[in-house]
Amino acid sequence: MLFALICTDKPGAIETRKANRDAHLAYLKDTGVVMQAGPFLDAEGIMCGSLLILDVPDRQAAKAWADNDPYAKAGLFDDVRIEAWNKVVG
């Protein structure tokens, strides 16, 4: 089942994001459940959040994945939404 993770960074947390980016990207690759991923950008083009599409069995698995993301462990996010998602195009 597909789930979208919609993550909003804490204000002013770009250094936390940069410091944990390599570990985050490795986690995306190593877990094998990420179908698409990328950062949100603010008006100045600075990363300020994340959108990820996961292919996992259920919401509980999506939550567990999100909780173990190095970004989450570093306290980067102000908010994380997990939404069931239906791919229609692409």
Side-chain angles (χ1 to χ4, degrees):
M1 184 168 192
L2 298 177
F3 288 88
L5 300 183
I6 304 155
C7 309
T8 304
D9 292 2
K10 291 178 180 172
I14 188 63
E15 294 307 319
T16 300
R17 177 176 276 276
K18 288 178 181 178
N20 291 279
R21 187 167 172 79
D22 289 344
H24 167 74
L25 294 175
Y27 182 67
L28 270 62
K29 180 181 175 187
D30 294 346
T31 57
V33 300
V34 180
M35 303 295 101
Q36 294 184 7
F40 291 118
L41 305 175
D42 67 14
E44 289 79 39
I46 308 245
M47 295 179 286
C48 62
S50 300
L51 172 64
L52 303 104
I53 305 298
L54 307 180
D55 188 355
V56 293
D58 53 34
R59 184 176 301 276
Q60 182 177 353
K63 172 91 168 82
W65 189 97
D67 289 345
N68 285 299
D69 180 353
Y71 278 169
K73 288 183 173 187
L76 174 63
F77 300 129
D78 193 33
D79 181 63
V80 176
R81 284 180 39 210
I82 300 173
E83 302 287 346
W85 185 68
N86 182 37
K87 181 178 177 180
V88 176
V89 176

